[in-house]
Amino acid sequence: MSLLAAEHALQAAQRAGDVDALDALLHPRCVGAGPDGSVFSKEDDLESYRSGALRITHLEEEALDVQEDAVSGATRLVAAVDAMQGGVAVSARLVYTRLWVRSDEGWRVLAATLAPAAEAA
Protein backbone atom coordinates (compact mmCIF):
# COMPACT_ATOMS: atom_id res chain seq x y z
CA MET A 1 0.00 0.00 0.00
CA SER A 2 1.29 3.45 -0.87
CA LEU A 3 1.55 6.14 1.78
CA LEU A 4 -1.26 8.02 0.04
CA ALA A 5 -3.48 4.93 0.29
CA ALA A 6 -2.53 4.49 3.97
CA GLU A 7 -3.45 8.13 4.72
CA HIS A 8 -6.81 7.68 3.00
CA ALA A 9 -7.38 4.41 4.91
CA LEU A 10 -6.68 6.28 8.16
CA GLN A 11 -9.15 9.02 7.27
CA ALA A 12 -11.79 6.38 6.43
CA ALA A 13 -11.15 4.63 9.76
CA GLN A 14 -11.53 7.94 11.61
CA ARG A 15 -14.82 8.67 9.82
CA ALA A 16 -16.15 5.18 10.56
CA GLY A 17 -14.83 5.01 14.13
CA ASP A 18 -13.20 1.71 13.08
CA VAL A 19 -11.03 0.87 16.09
CA ASP A 20 -9.59 -2.28 14.47
CA ALA A 21 -8.47 -0.37 11.37
CA LEU A 22 -7.06 2.44 13.52
CA ASP A 23 -5.20 -0.12 15.63
CA ALA A 24 -3.59 -1.56 12.49
CA LEU A 25 -2.59 1.88 11.16
CA LEU A 26 -1.15 3.31 14.39
CA HIS A 27 2.32 2.22 15.51
CA PRO A 28 2.37 0.63 18.99
CA ARG A 29 4.47 3.57 20.26
CA CYS A 30 2.41 6.23 18.46
CA VAL A 31 2.22 9.55 20.24
CA GLY A 32 0.06 12.52 19.35
CA ALA A 33 -0.33 16.13 20.36
CA GLY A 34 -3.66 17.93 20.26
CA PRO A 35 -4.50 21.57 19.55
CA ASP A 36 -4.55 22.31 23.28
CA GLY A 37 -1.03 20.90 23.76
CA SER A 38 -2.27 17.66 25.30
CA VAL A 39 -0.21 14.57 24.54
CA PHE A 40 -1.89 11.21 23.96
CA SER A 41 -0.83 7.65 23.26
CA LYS A 42 -2.17 5.15 20.76
CA GLU A 43 -4.23 3.55 23.53
CA ASP A 44 -5.65 6.95 24.54
CA ASP A 45 -6.70 7.58 20.94
CA LEU A 46 -8.22 4.13 20.47
CA GLU A 47 -10.10 4.39 23.77
CA SER A 48 -11.63 7.73 22.75
CA TYR A 49 -13.16 6.01 19.70
CA ARG A 50 -14.01 2.78 21.56
CA SER A 51 -15.83 4.60 24.37
CA GLY A 52 -17.64 7.01 22.07
CA ALA A 53 -15.96 10.02 23.69
CA LEU A 54 -14.87 10.97 20.15
CA ARG A 55 -17.04 10.40 17.11
CA ILE A 56 -16.10 12.07 13.85
CA THR A 57 -19.28 12.76 11.92
CA HIS A 58 -17.67 14.49 8.93
CA LEU A 59 -14.06 14.74 7.74
CA GLU A 60 -13.52 16.38 4.36
CA GLU A 61 -10.03 16.54 2.88
CA GLU A 62 -9.26 20.04 1.61
CA ALA A 63 -5.54 19.60 0.90
CA LEU A 64 -3.06 16.78 1.29
CA ASP A 65 0.73 16.74 0.91
CA VAL A 66 2.49 13.35 0.96
CA GLN A 67 6.26 12.90 1.24
CA GLU A 68 7.76 9.42 1.41
CA ASP A 69 11.00 7.54 1.09
CA ALA A 70 11.89 3.89 1.60
CA VAL A 71 11.21 3.65 5.35
CA SER A 72 9.47 6.83 6.47
CA GLY A 73 7.09 9.47 5.29
CA ALA A 74 5.03 12.44 6.32
CA THR A 75 1.54 13.58 5.48
CA ARG A 76 0.02 17.00 6.02
CA LEU A 77 -3.75 17.03 5.77
CA VAL A 78 -5.98 20.09 5.93
CA ALA A 79 -9.54 19.00 6.63
CA ALA A 80 -12.92 20.33 7.64
CA VAL A 81 -14.01 18.23 10.61
CA ASP A 82 -17.29 17.88 12.48
CA ALA A 83 -17.25 15.68 15.56
CA MET A 84 -18.87 14.89 18.85
CA GLN A 85 -16.24 15.20 21.55
CA GLY A 86 -17.29 14.46 25.10
CA GLY A 87 -20.92 14.92 24.08
CA VAL A 88 -20.28 18.36 22.58
CA ALA A 89 -20.59 19.11 18.86
CA VAL A 90 -17.35 20.55 17.48
CA SER A 91 -16.62 21.93 14.01
CA ALA A 92 -13.13 22.96 13.00
CA ARG A 93 -10.74 23.27 10.12
CA LEU A 94 -7.69 21.27 11.22
CA VAL A 95 -4.18 20.47 10.05
CA TYR A 96 -3.08 16.91 10.77
CA THR A 97 0.67 16.34 10.43
CA ARG A 98 1.67 12.71 10.66
CA LEU A 99 5.04 10.94 10.69
CA TRP A 100 4.72 7.47 9.20
CA VAL A 101 7.13 4.52 9.30
CA ARG A 102 7.07 1.50 7.02
CA SER A 103 7.45 -1.98 8.48
CA ASP A 104 6.50 -5.52 7.52
CA GLU A 105 2.93 -4.59 8.54
CA GLY A 106 2.90 -1.64 6.12
CA TRP A 107 2.69 2.08 6.83
CA ARG A 108 1.92 3.03 10.45
CA VAL A 109 1.66 6.42 12.17
CA LEU A 110 4.47 6.94 14.69
CA ALA A 111 3.71 10.57 15.62
CA ALA A 112 0.93 13.03 14.89
CA THR A 113 -0.14 16.55 15.66
CA LEU A 114 -3.41 18.29 15.02
CA ALA A 115 -3.85 22.02 15.14
CA PRO A 116 -6.33 24.61 13.93
CA ALA A 117 -5.72 25.53 10.30
CA ALA A 118 -4.88 29.11 9.47
CA GLU A 119 -7.74 30.93 7.83
CA ALA A 120 -7.37 31.38 4.09
CA ALA A 121 -6.24 34.85 3.11
Side-chain angles (χ1 to χ4, degrees), residues 29-67:
R29 293 186 306 273
C30 182
V31 64
D36 61 355
S38 62
V39 176
F40 53 92
S41 68
K42 173 182 177 172
E43 273 310 310
D44 296 333
D45 196 33
L46 294 178
E47 183 55 29
S48 69
Y49 284 94
R50 195 178 291 120
S51 70
L54 174 63
R55 187 171 51 87
I56 294 178
T57 56
H58 178 80
L59 188 152
E60 181 178 345
E61 180 181 303
E62 294 181 1
L64 177 61
D65 180 48
V66 177
Q67 304 288 323

PDB file of all heavy atoms in Angstrom, residues 29-67:
ATOM      1  N   ARG A  29       3.917   2.466  19.454  1.00  0.00           N
ATOM      2  CA  ARG A  29       4.468   3.567  20.260  1.00  0.00           C
ATOM      3  C   ARG A  29       4.022   4.939  19.747  1.00  0.00           C
ATOM      4  O   ARG A  29       4.658   5.950  20.037  1.00  0.00           O
ATOM      5  CB  ARG A  29       5.993   3.467  20.297  1.00  0.00           C
ATOM      6  CG  ARG A  29       6.479   2.243  21.058  1.00  0.00           C
ATOM      7  CD  ARG A  29       7.996   2.212  21.236  1.00  0.00           C
ATOM      8  NE  ARG A  29       8.751   2.338  19.996  1.00  0.00           N
ATOM      9  CZ  ARG A  29       9.094   1.328  19.184  1.00  0.00           C
ATOM     10  NH1 ARG A  29       8.728   0.106  19.481  1.00  0.00           N
ATOM     11  NH2 ARG A  29       9.781   1.553  18.098  1.00  0.00           N
ATOM     12  N   CYS A  30       2.909   4.965  19.010  1.00  0.00           N
ATOM     13  CA  CYS A  30       2.408   6.225  18.460  1.00  0.00           C
ATOM     14  C   CYS A  30       2.124   7.226  19.575  1.00  0.00           C
ATOM     15  O   CYS A  30       1.577   6.881  20.622  1.00  0.00           O
ATOM     16  CB  CYS A  30       1.125   5.966  17.673  1.00  0.00           C
ATOM     17  SG  CYS A  30       0.445   7.443  16.890  1.00  0.00           S
ATOM     18  N   VAL A  31       2.509   8.462  19.316  1.00  0.00           N
ATOM     19  CA  VAL A  31       2.219   9.554  20.244  1.00  0.00           C
ATOM     20  C   VAL A  31       1.649  10.712  19.435  1.00  0.00           C
ATOM     21  O   VAL A  31       2.042  10.936  18.293  1.00  0.00           O
ATOM     22  CB  VAL A  31       3.481   9.977  21.038  1.00  0.00           C
ATOM     23  CG1 VAL A  31       4.560  10.533  20.126  1.00  0.00           C
ATOM     24  CG2 VAL A  31       3.138  10.965  22.128  1.00  0.00           C
ATOM     25  N   GLY A  32       0.680  11.396  20.029  1.00  0.00           N
ATOM     26  CA  GLY A  32       0.059  12.519  19.354  1.00  0.00           C
ATOM     27  C   GLY A  32      -0.004  13.732  20.250  1.00  0.00           C
ATOM     28  O   GLY A  32       0.089  13.623  21.475  1.00  0.00           O
ATOM     29  N   ALA A  33      -0.162  14.880  19.620  1.00  0.00           N
ATOM     30  CA  ALA A  33      -0.328  16.135  20.356  1.00  0.00           C
ATOM     31  C   ALA A  33      -1.538  16.860  19.783  1.00  0.00           C
ATOM     32  O   ALA A  33      -1.659  17.005  18.558  1.00  0.00           O
ATOM     33  CB  ALA A  33       0.916  17.002  20.243  1.00  0.00           C
ATOM     34  N   GLY A  34      -2.436  17.261  20.671  1.00  0.00           N
ATOM     35  CA  GLY A  34      -3.658  17.927  20.262  1.00  0.00           C
ATOM     36  C   GLY A  34      -3.508  19.435  20.185  1.00  0.00           C
ATOM     37  O   GLY A  34      -2.475  19.991  20.567  1.00  0.00           O
ATOM     38  N   PRO A  35      -4.548  20.115  19.710  1.00  0.00           N
ATOM     39  CA  PRO A  35      -4.502  21.571  19.554  1.00  0.00           C
ATOM     40  C   PRO A  35      -4.323  22.315  20.873  1.00  0.00           C
ATOM     41  O   PRO A  35      -3.835  23.437  20.890  1.00  0.00           O
ATOM     42  CB  PRO A  35      -5.838  21.920  18.909  1.00  0.00           C
ATOM     43  CG  PRO A  35      -6.651  20.703  18.890  1.00  0.00           C
ATOM     44  CD  PRO A  35      -5.797  19.541  19.260  1.00  0.00           C
ATOM     45  N   ASP A  36      -4.689  21.668  21.974  1.00  0.00           N
ATOM     46  CA  ASP A  36      -4.546  22.306  23.284  1.00  0.00           C
ATOM     47  C   ASP A  36      -3.208  21.976  23.944  1.00  0.00           C
ATOM     48  O   ASP A  36      -2.977  22.334  25.097  1.00  0.00           O
ATOM     49  CB  ASP A  36      -5.691  21.877  24.207  1.00  0.00           C
ATOM     50  CG  ASP A  36      -5.719  20.377  24.445  1.00  0.00           C
ATOM     51  OD1 ASP A  36      -4.921  19.630  23.828  1.00  0.00           O
ATOM     52  OD2 ASP A  36      -6.558  19.933  25.254  1.00  0.00           O
ATOM     53  N   GLY A  37      -2.331  21.266  23.213  1.00  0.00           N
ATOM     54  CA  GLY A  37      -1.034  20.895  23.761  1.00  0.00           C
ATOM     55  C   GLY A  37      -1.033  19.571  24.487  1.00  0.00           C
ATOM     56  O   GLY A  37       0.007  19.090  24.931  1.00  0.00           O
ATOM     57  N   SER A  38      -2.204  18.952  24.627  1.00  0.00           N
ATOM     58  CA  SER A  38      -2.268  17.658  25.304  1.00  0.00           C
ATOM     59  C   SER A  38      -1.535  16.602  24.479  1.00  0.00           C
ATOM     60  O   SER A  38      -1.518  16.654  23.251  1.00  0.00           O
ATOM     61  CB  SER A  38      -3.724  17.244  25.516  1.00  0.00           C
ATOM     62  OG  SER A  38      -4.371  17.089  24.267  1.00  0.00           O
ATOM     63  N   VAL A  39      -0.927  15.661  25.180  1.00  0.00           N
ATOM     64  CA  VAL A  39      -0.209  14.567  24.538  1.00  0.00           C
ATOM     65  C   VAL A  39      -0.977  13.290  24.819  1.00  0.00           C
ATOM     66  O   VAL A  39      -1.460  13.072  25.933  1.00  0.00           O
ATOM     67  CB  VAL A  39       1.241  14.474  25.077  1.00  0.00           C
ATOM     68  CG1 VAL A  39       1.967  13.276  24.500  1.00  0.00           C
ATOM     69  CG2 VAL A  39       1.992  15.770  24.762  1.00  0.00           C
ATOM     70  N   PHE A  40      -1.128  12.443  23.791  1.00  0.00           N
ATOM     71  CA  PHE A  40      -1.888  11.214  23.958  1.00  0.00           C
ATOM     72  C   PHE A  40      -1.190  10.054  23.262  1.00  0.00           C
ATOM     73  O   PHE A  40      -0.462  10.242  22.292  1.00  0.00           O
ATOM     74  CB  PHE A  40      -3.329  11.382  23.457  1.00  0.00           C
ATOM     75  CG  PHE A  40      -3.439  11.904  22.048  1.00  0.00           C
ATOM     76  CD1 PHE A  40      -3.515  11.042  20.968  1.00  0.00           C
ATOM     77  CD2 PHE A  40      -3.466  13.271  21.813  1.00  0.00           C
ATOM     78  CE1 PHE A  40      -3.611  11.527  19.672  1.00  0.00           C
ATOM     79  CE2 PHE A  40      -3.571  13.776  20.515  1.00  0.00           C
ATOM     80  CZ  PHE A  40      -3.642  12.898  19.446  1.00  0.00           C
ATOM     81  N   SER A  41      -1.424   8.869  23.798  1.00  0.00           N
ATOM     82  CA  SER A  41      -0.827   7.651  23.260  1.00  0.00           C
ATOM     83  C   SER A  41      -1.790   6.990  22.273  1.00  0.00           C
ATOM     84  O   SER A  41      -2.953   7.393  22.143  1.00  0.00           O
ATOM     85  CB  SER A  41      -0.541   6.676  24.403  1.00  0.00           C
ATOM     86  OG  SER A  41      -1.767   6.209  24.951  1.00  0.00           O
ATOM     87  N   LYS A  42      -1.308   5.942  21.631  1.00  0.00           N
ATOM     88  CA  LYS A  42      -2.170   5.147  20.764  1.00  0.00           C
ATOM     89  C   LYS A  42      -3.374   4.633  21.549  1.00  0.00           C
ATOM     90  O   LYS A  42      -4.508   4.738  21.084  1.00  0.00           O
ATOM     91  CB  LYS A  42      -1.382   3.972  20.186  1.00  0.00           C
ATOM     92  CG  LYS A  42      -2.235   2.996  19.402  1.00  0.00           C
ATOM     93  CD  LYS A  42      -1.419   1.819  18.891  1.00  0.00           C
ATOM     94  CE  LYS A  42      -2.297   0.815  18.167  1.00  0.00           C
ATOM     95  NZ  LYS A  42      -1.517  -0.232  17.508  1.00  0.00           N
ATOM     96  N   GLU A  43      -3.135   4.090  22.736  1.00  0.00           N
ATOM     97  CA  GLU A  43      -4.227   3.555  23.534  1.00  0.00           C
ATOM     98  C   GLU A  43      -5.237   4.636  23.920  1.00  0.00           C
ATOM     99  O   GLU A  43      -6.435   4.389  23.920  1.00  0.00           O
ATOM    100  CB  GLU A  43      -3.716   2.835  24.774  1.00  0.00           C
ATOM    101  CG  GLU A  43      -3.380   1.387  24.523  1.00  0.00           C
ATOM    102  CD  GLU A  43      -4.494   0.612  23.802  1.00  0.00           C
ATOM    103  OE1 GLU A  43      -5.667   0.662  24.228  1.00  0.00           O
ATOM    104  OE2 GLU A  43      -4.190  -0.034  22.788  1.00  0.00           O
ATOM    105  N   ASP A  44      -4.747   5.835  24.242  1.00  0.00           N
ATOM    106  CA  ASP A  44      -5.651   6.951  24.541  1.00  0.00           C
ATOM    107  C   ASP A  44      -6.559   7.233  23.342  1.00  0.00           C
ATOM    108  O   ASP A  44      -7.769   7.431  23.492  1.00  0.00           O
ATOM    109  CB  ASP A  44      -4.881   8.221  24.881  1.00  0.00           C
ATOM    110  CG  ASP A  44      -4.041   8.123  26.138  1.00  0.00           C
ATOM    111  OD1 ASP A  44      -4.383   7.329  27.042  1.00  0.00           O
ATOM    112  OD2 ASP A  44      -3.018   8.849  26.214  1.00  0.00           O
ATOM    113  N   ASP A  45      -5.952   7.282  22.155  1.00  0.00           N
ATOM    114  CA  ASP A  45      -6.699   7.580  20.943  1.00  0.00           C
ATOM    115  C   ASP A  45      -7.725   6.490  20.662  1.00  0.00           C
ATOM    116  O   ASP A  45      -8.900   6.783  20.411  1.00  0.00           O
ATOM    117  CB  ASP A  45      -5.727   7.730  19.771  1.00  0.00           C
ATOM    118  CG  ASP A  45      -6.355   8.406  18.564  1.00  0.00           C
ATOM    119  OD1 ASP A  45      -7.227   9.283  18.743  1.00  0.00           O
ATOM    120  OD2 ASP A  45      -5.961   8.071  17.434  1.00  0.00           O
ATOM    121  N   LEU A  46      -7.294   5.230  20.722  1.00  0.00           N
ATOM    122  CA  LEU A  46      -8.222   4.126  20.469  1.00  0.00           C
ATOM    123  C   LEU A  46      -9.370   4.122  21.476  1.00  0.00           C
ATOM    124  O   LEU A  46     -10.530   3.889  21.109  1.00  0.00           O
ATOM    125  CB  LEU A  46      -7.484   2.785  20.503  1.00  0.00           C
ATOM    126  CG  LEU A  46      -6.466   2.549  19.392  1.00  0.00           C
ATOM    127  CD1 LEU A  46      -5.779   1.202  19.596  1.00  0.00           C
ATOM    128  CD2 LEU A  46      -7.085   2.656  18.014  1.00  0.00           C
ATOM    129  N   GLU A  47      -9.057   4.395  22.736  1.00  0.00           N
ATOM    130  CA  GLU A  47     -10.098   4.390  23.773  1.00  0.00           C
ATOM    131  C   GLU A  47     -11.120   5.505  23.535  1.00  0.00           C
ATOM    132  O   GLU A  47     -12.312   5.321  23.809  1.00  0.00           O
ATOM    133  CB  GLU A  47      -9.489   4.504  25.163  1.00  0.00           C
ATOM    134  CG  GLU A  47     -10.502   4.442  26.296  1.00  0.00           C
ATOM    135  CD  GLU A  47     -11.405   3.202  26.285  1.00  0.00           C
ATOM    136  OE1 GLU A  47     -10.982   2.136  25.806  1.00  0.00           O
ATOM    137  OE2 GLU A  47     -12.557   3.309  26.762  1.00  0.00           O
ATOM    138  N   SER A  48     -10.677   6.648  23.013  1.00  0.00           N
ATOM    139  CA  SER A  48     -11.629   7.734  22.752  1.00  0.00           C
ATOM    140  C   SER A  48     -12.655   7.312  21.702  1.00  0.00           C
ATOM    141  O   SER A  48     -13.830   7.651  21.806  1.00  0.00           O
ATOM    142  CB  SER A  48     -10.905   9.016  22.342  1.00  0.00           C
ATOM    143  OG  SER A  48     -10.319   8.889  21.061  1.00  0.00           O
ATOM    144  N   TYR A  49     -12.218   6.539  20.702  1.00  0.00           N
ATOM    145  CA  TYR A  49     -13.162   6.012  19.704  1.00  0.00           C
ATOM    146  C   TYR A  49     -13.997   4.883  20.291  1.00  0.00           C
ATOM    147  O   TYR A  49     -15.202   4.825  20.107  1.00  0.00           O
ATOM    148  CB  TYR A  49     -12.413   5.502  18.463  1.00  0.00           C
ATOM    149  CG  TYR A  49     -11.916   6.600  17.560  1.00  0.00           C
ATOM    150  CD1 TYR A  49     -10.627   7.097  17.672  1.00  0.00           C
ATOM    151  CD2 TYR A  49     -12.742   7.143  16.581  1.00  0.00           C
ATOM    152  CE1 TYR A  49     -10.170   8.102  16.842  1.00  0.00           C
ATOM    153  CE2 TYR A  49     -12.298   8.153  15.739  1.00  0.00           C
ATOM    154  CZ  TYR A  49     -11.000   8.626  15.877  1.00  0.00           C
ATOM    155  OH  TYR A  49     -10.563   9.619  15.056  1.00  0.00           O
ATOM    156  N   ARG A  50     -13.335   3.961  20.998  1.00  0.00           N
ATOM    157  CA  ARG A  50     -14.006   2.777  21.557  1.00  0.00           C
ATOM    158  C   ARG A  50     -15.128   3.187  22.513  1.00  0.00           C
ATOM    159  O   ARG A  50     -16.220   2.624  22.491  1.00  0.00           O
ATOM    160  CB  ARG A  50     -12.962   1.919  22.287  1.00  0.00           C
ATOM    161  CG  ARG A  50     -13.393   0.519  22.623  1.00  0.00           C
ATOM    162  CD  ARG A  50     -12.268  -0.268  23.301  1.00  0.00           C
ATOM    163  NE  ARG A  50     -11.175  -0.557  22.390  1.00  0.00           N
ATOM    164  CZ  ARG A  50      -9.910  -0.148  22.559  1.00  0.00           C
ATOM    165  NH1 ARG A  50      -9.558   0.557  23.618  1.00  0.00           N
ATOM    166  NH2 ARG A  50      -8.984  -0.463  21.684  1.00  0.00           N
ATOM    167  N   SER A  51     -14.869   4.178  23.353  1.00  0.00           N
ATOM    168  CA  SER A  51     -15.834   4.601  24.373  1.00  0.00           C
ATOM    169  C   SER A  51     -16.924   5.521  23.819  1.00  0.00           C
ATOM    170  O   SER A  51     -17.926   5.756  24.486  1.00  0.00           O
ATOM    171  CB  SER A  51     -15.099   5.339  25.498  1.00  0.00           C
ATOM    172  OG  SER A  51     -14.622   6.598  25.031  1.00  0.00           O
ATOM    173  N   GLY A  52     -16.696   6.051  22.637  1.00  0.00           N
ATOM    174  CA  GLY A  52     -17.640   7.011  22.073  1.00  0.00           C
ATOM    175  C   GLY A  52     -17.375   8.439  22.508  1.00  0.00           C
ATOM    176  O   GLY A  52     -18.117   9.348  22.140  1.00  0.00           O
ATOM    177  N   ALA A  53     -16.300   8.665  23.283  1.00  0.00           N
ATOM    178  CA  ALA A  53     -15.955  10.025  23.695  1.00  0.00           C
ATOM    179  C   ALA A  53     -15.633  10.898  22.486  1.00  0.00           C
ATOM    180  O   ALA A  53     -15.836  12.109  22.513  1.00  0.00           O
ATOM    181  CB  ALA A  53     -14.777  10.008  24.670  1.00  0.00           C
ATOM    182  N   LEU A  54     -15.133  10.262  21.409  1.00  0.00           N
ATOM    183  CA  LEU A  54     -14.874  10.969  20.152  1.00  0.00           C
ATOM    184  C   LEU A  54     -15.578  10.225  19.033  1.00  0.00           C
ATOM    185  O   LEU A  54     -15.407   9.012  18.878  1.00  0.00           O
ATOM    186  CB  LEU A  54     -13.371  11.038  19.860  1.00  0.00           C
ATOM    187  CG  LEU A  54     -12.997  11.636  18.500  1.00  0.00           C
ATOM    188  CD1 LEU A  54     -13.447  13.095  18.396  1.00  0.00           C
ATOM    189  CD2 LEU A  54     -11.499  11.535  18.275  1.00  0.00           C
ATOM    190  N   ARG A  55     -16.374  10.968  18.280  1.00  0.00           N
ATOM    191  CA  ARG A  55     -17.037  10.403  17.110  1.00  0.00           C
ATOM    192  C   ARG A  55     -16.982  11.442  16.006  1.00  0.00           C
ATOM    193  O   ARG A  55     -17.583  12.512  16.112  1.00  0.00           O
ATOM    194  CB  ARG A  55     -18.486  10.031  17.439  1.00  0.00           C
ATOM    195  CG  ARG A  55     -19.183   9.278  16.314  1.00  0.00           C
ATOM    196  CD  ARG A  55     -20.528   8.731  16.745  1.00  0.00           C
ATOM    197  NE  ARG A  55     -21.400   9.705  17.376  1.00  0.00           N
ATOM    198  CZ  ARG A  55     -22.240  10.506  16.722  1.00  0.00           C
ATOM    199  NH1 ARG A  55     -22.326  10.462  15.422  1.00  0.00           N
ATOM    200  NH2 ARG A  55     -23.007  11.349  17.397  1.00  0.00           N
ATOM    201  N   ILE A  56     -16.205  11.157  14.985  1.00  0.00           N
ATOM    202  CA  ILE A  56     -16.100  12.070  13.852  1.00  0.00           C
ATOM    203  C   ILE A  56     -17.295  11.837  12.947  1.00  0.00           C
ATOM    204  O   ILE A  56     -17.522  10.722  12.472  1.00  0.00           O
ATOM    205  CB  ILE A  56     -14.765  11.879  13.111  1.00  0.00           C
ATOM    206  CG1 ILE A  56     -13.618  12.296  14.047  1.00  0.00           C
ATOM    207  CG2 ILE A  56     -14.745  12.673  11.806  1.00  0.00           C
ATOM    208  CD1 ILE A  56     -12.234  12.123  13.495  1.00  0.00           C
ATOM    209  N   THR A  57     -18.077  12.881  12.733  1.00  0.00           N
ATOM    210  CA  THR A  57     -19.279  12.759  11.918  1.00  0.00           C
ATOM    211  C   THR A  57     -19.043  13.215  10.484  1.00  0.00           C
ATOM    212  O   THR A  57     -19.790  12.842   9.585  1.00  0.00           O
ATOM    213  CB  THR A  57     -20.436  13.562  12.542  1.00  0.00           C
ATOM    214  OG1 THR A  57     -20.029  14.930  12.701  1.00  0.00           O
ATOM    215  CG2 THR A  57     -20.825  12.981  13.904  1.00  0.00           C
ATOM    216  N   HIS A  58     -18.004  14.007  10.279  1.00  0.00           N
ATOM    217  CA  HIS A  58     -17.667  14.491   8.932  1.00  0.00           C
ATOM    218  C   HIS A  58     -16.186  14.845   8.920  1.00  0.00           C
ATOM    219  O   HIS A  58     -15.700  15.528   9.831  1.00  0.00           O
ATOM    220  CB  HIS A  58     -18.515  15.727   8.598  1.00  0.00           C
ATOM    221  CG  HIS A  58     -18.214  16.333   7.276  1.00  0.00           C
ATOM    222  ND1 HIS A  58     -18.718  15.825   6.100  1.00  0.00           N
ATOM    223  CD2 HIS A  58     -17.461  17.395   6.927  1.00  0.00           C
ATOM    224  CE1 HIS A  58     -18.280  16.569   5.087  1.00  0.00           C
ATOM    225  NE2 HIS A  58     -17.523  17.526   5.567  1.00  0.00           N
ATOM    226  N   LEU A  59     -15.465  14.373   7.929  1.00  0.00           N
ATOM    227  CA  LEU A  59     -14.064  14.744   7.736  1.00  0.00           C
ATOM    228  C   LEU A  59     -13.859  14.881   6.238  1.00  0.00           C
ATOM    229  O   LEU A  59     -13.949  13.906   5.504  1.00  0.00           O
ATOM    230  CB  LEU A  59     -13.124  13.674   8.315  1.00  0.00           C
ATOM    231  CG  LEU A  59     -11.639  14.027   8.343  1.00  0.00           C
ATOM    232  CD1 LEU A  59     -10.951  13.302   9.485  1.00  0.00           C
ATOM    233  CD2 LEU A  59     -10.952  13.710   7.032  1.00  0.00           C
ATOM    234  N   GLU A  60     -13.669  16.109   5.789  1.00  0.00           N
ATOM    235  CA  GLU A  60     -13.521  16.383   4.360  1.00  0.00           C
ATOM    236  C   GLU A  60     -12.115  16.902   4.081  1.00  0.00           C
ATOM    237  O   GLU A  60     -11.710  17.953   4.597  1.00  0.00           O
ATOM    238  CB  GLU A  60     -14.551  17.414   3.904  1.00  0.00           C
ATOM    239  CG  GLU A  60     -14.467  17.721   2.427  1.00  0.00           C
ATOM    240  CD  GLU A  60     -15.515  18.718   1.967  1.00  0.00           C
ATOM    241  OE1 GLU A  60     -16.484  18.969   2.721  1.00  0.00           O
ATOM    242  OE2 GLU A  60     -15.361  19.249   0.867  1.00  0.00           O
ATOM    243  N   GLU A  61     -11.390  16.145   3.279  1.00  0.00           N
ATOM    244  CA  GLU A  61     -10.029  16.537   2.882  1.00  0.00           C
ATOM    245  C   GLU A  61     -10.090  17.771   2.003  1.00  0.00           C
ATOM    246  O   GLU A  61     -10.766  17.783   0.984  1.00  0.00           O
ATOM    247  CB  GLU A  61      -9.398  15.362   2.121  1.00  0.00           C
ATOM    248  CG  GLU A  61      -7.996  15.622   1.646  1.00  0.00           C
ATOM    249  CD  GLU A  61      -7.437  14.429   0.876  1.00  0.00           C
ATOM    250  OE1 GLU A  61      -7.400  13.304   1.436  1.00  0.00           O
ATOM    251  OE2 GLU A  61      -7.044  14.629  -0.280  1.00  0.00           O
ATOM    252  N   GLU A  62      -9.354  18.823   2.420  1.00  0.00           N
ATOM    253  CA  GLU A  62      -9.255  20.035   1.608  1.00  0.00           C
ATOM    254  C   GLU A  62      -7.928  20.090   0.871  1.00  0.00           C
ATOM    255  O   GLU A  62      -7.869  20.588  -0.252  1.00  0.00           O
ATOM    256  CB  GLU A  62      -9.402  21.276   2.494  1.00  0.00           C
ATOM    257  CG  GLU A  62     -10.780  21.419   3.108  1.00  0.00           C
ATOM    258  CD  GLU A  62     -10.907  22.676   3.953  1.00  0.00           C
ATOM    259  OE1 GLU A  62      -9.943  23.473   4.056  1.00  0.00           O
ATOM    260  OE2 GLU A  62     -11.993  22.871   4.529  1.00  0.00           O
ATOM    261  N   ALA A  63      -6.869  19.618   1.514  1.00  0.00           N
ATOM    262  CA  ALA A  63      -5.541  19.601   0.896  1.00  0.00           C
ATOM    263  C   ALA A  63      -4.740  18.482   1.551  1.00  0.00           C
ATOM    264  O   ALA A  63      -4.901  18.209   2.742  1.00  0.00           O
ATOM    265  CB  ALA A  63      -4.834  20.940   1.105  1.00  0.00           C
ATOM    266  N   LEU A  64      -3.881  17.855   0.766  1.00  0.00           N
ATOM    267  CA  LEU A  64      -3.056  16.781   1.295  1.00  0.00           C
ATOM    268  C   LEU A  64      -1.703  16.801   0.608  1.00  0.00           C
ATOM    269  O   LEU A  64      -1.628  16.816  -0.621  1.00  0.00           O
ATOM    270  CB  LEU A  64      -3.733  15.422   1.073  1.00  0.00           C
ATOM    271  CG  LEU A  64      -2.955  14.187   1.519  1.00  0.00           C
ATOM    272  CD1 LEU A  64      -2.685  14.216   3.017  1.00  0.00           C
ATOM    273  CD2 LEU A  64      -3.705  12.924   1.126  1.00  0.00           C
ATOM    274  N   ASP A  65      -0.639  16.816   1.412  1.00  0.00           N
ATOM    275  CA  ASP A  65       0.733  16.736   0.915  1.00  0.00           C
ATOM    276  C   ASP A  65       1.319  15.441   1.453  1.00  0.00           C
ATOM    277  O   ASP A  65       1.202  15.159   2.657  1.00  0.00           O
ATOM    278  CB  ASP A  65       1.550  17.941   1.404  1.00  0.00           C
ATOM    279  CG  ASP A  65       2.980  17.900   0.900  1.00  0.00           C
ATOM    280  OD1 ASP A  65       3.186  17.666  -0.301  1.00  0.00           O
ATOM    281  OD2 ASP A  65       3.893  18.081   1.729  1.00  0.00           O
ATOM    282  N   VAL A  66       1.913  14.641   0.580  1.00  0.00           N
ATOM    283  CA  VAL A  66       2.490  13.351   0.958  1.00  0.00           C
ATOM    284  C   VAL A  66       3.951  13.329   0.542  1.00  0.00           C
ATOM    285  O   VAL A  66       4.273  13.588  -0.617  1.00  0.00           O
ATOM    286  CB  VAL A  66       1.731  12.193   0.271  1.00  0.00           C
ATOM    287  CG1 VAL A  66       2.364  10.852   0.610  1.00  0.00           C
ATOM    288  CG2 VAL A  66       0.260  12.210   0.654  1.00  0.00           C
ATOM    289  N   GLN A  67       4.819  13.037   1.501  1.00  0.00           N
ATOM    290  CA  GLN A  67       6.264  12.898   1.245  1.00  0.00           C
ATOM    291  C   GLN A  67       6.675  11.529   1.764  1.00  0.00           C
ATOM    292  O   GLN A  67       6.374  11.204   2.912  1.00  0.00           O
ATOM    293  CB  GLN A  67       7.058  13.981   1.999  1.00  0.00           C
ATOM    294  CG  GLN A  67       6.644  15.397   1.708  1.00  0.00           C
ATOM    295  CD  GLN A  67       7.054  15.864   0.335  1.00  0.00           C
ATOM    296  OE1 GLN A  67       8.120  15.521  -0.148  1.00  0.00           O
ATOM    297  NE2 GLN A  67       6.189  16.631  -0.308  1.00  0.00           N
TER     298      GLN A  67
END
